[in-house]
């Protein structure tokens, strides 16, 4: 088990473009170890997804997935555990959906972001199998957020309204004062 330090916004590595993994290296011991470290780091931080640049490795690798968590009570079945290597997103002609997003690299904060509701996602998994799938809803939002990290983009670059961004405890307090429940955060 190797929990790695998660880089925070301001670290220039989070702003770089990551390199593709040559297909012949997908099953190498180096990539296997990277994936294990990413899962360990994501689970220790209770995240729903993590991209390799967030632990300072500039390769196009993403892990997603979590089991039921108190942080996400509405996601009763969690999100399937998956490894995405060299993912490519094609935007389908779909309406946008808005979600409050958080990020392990922007700790204790959230912001409201609008993204495509439906995407086509192509990627290799850790067994070197190629996938080509249509993904919708909350999962599509999580995949778009994680894949953005591979191009040095953070959700704060995509805020729909800069006033809908802030520290979780402040936003929670404001919601409660307004008689609202704090939202589910992607
Ligand atoms: Zn993130």
């Amino acid at each position: 088990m190797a929990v790695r330090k998660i880089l925070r916004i301001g670290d220039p590595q989070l702003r770089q473009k990551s390199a593709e993994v040559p297909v012949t290296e997908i099953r190498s011991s180096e990539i296997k170890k990277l994936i294990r470290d990413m899962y360990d780091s994501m689970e220790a931080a209770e995240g729903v997804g993590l991209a390799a640049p967030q632990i300072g490795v500039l390769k196009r690798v993403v892990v997603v997935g979590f089991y039921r968590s108190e942080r996400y009570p509405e996601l009763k079945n969690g999100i399937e555990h998956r490894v995405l290597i060299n993912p490519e997103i094609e935007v389908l002609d779909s309406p946008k959906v808005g979600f409050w997003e958080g990020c392990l690299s922007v700790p204790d904060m959230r912001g409201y972001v609008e993204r495509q509701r439906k995407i086509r996602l192509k990627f290799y998994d850790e067994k070197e199998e190629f996938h080509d799938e249509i993904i919708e809803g909350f999962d599509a939002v999580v995949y778009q957020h994680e894949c953005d990290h591979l191009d040095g983009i953070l959700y704060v670059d995509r805020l729909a309204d800069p006033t809908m961004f802030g520290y979780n405890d402040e936003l929670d307090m404001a919601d409660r004062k307004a008689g609202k429940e704090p939202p589910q955060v992607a």
Side-chain angles (χ1 to χ4, degrees):
M1 169 124 180
V3 173
R4 311 257 297 253
K5 185 178 156 225
I6 295 177
L7 308 184
R8 294 184 307 161
I9 186 168
D11 188 310
Q13 291 176 96
L14 288 171
R15 294 310 200 164
Q16 287 177 38
K17 198 169 159 72
S18 292
E20 289 214 344
V21 178
V23 174
T24 51
E25 287 175 22
I26 287 176
R27 293 196 284 170
S28 66
S29 55
E30 185 201 348
I31 297 295
K32 280 201 179 81
K33 180 175 186 316
L34 171 64
I35 291 166
R36 266 202 311 274
D37 286 0
M38 287 172 67
Y39 267 120
D40 290 346
S41 308
M42 178 176 80
E43 276 160 16
E46 294 182 32
V48 297
L50 188 76
Q54 290 181 279
I55 58 168
V57 177
L58 297 178
K59 291 184 191 291
R60 300 184 85 79
V61 180
V62 162
V63 297
V64 295
F66 79 111
Y67 300 111
R68 284 192 66 172
S69 135
E70 276 181 24
R71 215 177 131 200
Y72 303 96
E74 285 156 49
L75 290 178
K76 294 189 176 56
N77 303 314
I79 286 189
E80 196 186 344
H81 280 66
R82 300 190 104 168
V83 178
L84 315 182
I85 297 167
N86 302 338
E88 271 180 50
I89 287 177
E90 184 186 326
V91 168
L92 299 176
D93 184 19
S94 72
K96 287 194 165 182
V97 283
F99 269 97
W100 284 89
E101 297 189 15
C103 180
L104 296 176
S105 294
V106 190
D108 305 322
M109 300 188 92
R110 67 171 179 260
Y112 190 75
V113 178
E114 289 179 350
R115 296 186 188 268
Q116 302 298 323
R117 191 181 65 82
K118 192 172 173 183
I119 55 168
R120 180 174 181 186
L121 180 70
K122 297 179 191 173
F123 63 99
Y124 285 92
D125 65 19
E126 72 279 21
K127 293 177 193 135
E128 210 186 306
E129 274 169 35
F130 184 73
H131 298 253
D132 182 349
E133 300 176 358
I134 304 289
I135 304 196
E136 293 183 61
F138 187 77
D139 288 29
V141 168
V142 170
Y143 287 126
Q144 287 171 83
H145 174 121
E146 295 310 329
C147 291
D148 264 355
H149 278 296
L150 305 178
D151 291 322
I153 298 166
L154 299 172
Y155 82 82
V156 298
D157 307 347
R158 297 194 186 276
L159 293 174
D161 172 352
T163 68
M164 293 173 80
F165 171 61
Y167 286 100
N168 286 321
D169 52 359
E170 297 291 348
L171 291 166
D172 288 350
M173 210 156 36
D175 280 345
R176 289 204 186 90
K177 265 191 199 150
K180 291 188 291 185
E181 275 299 301
Q184 177 192 341
V185 179

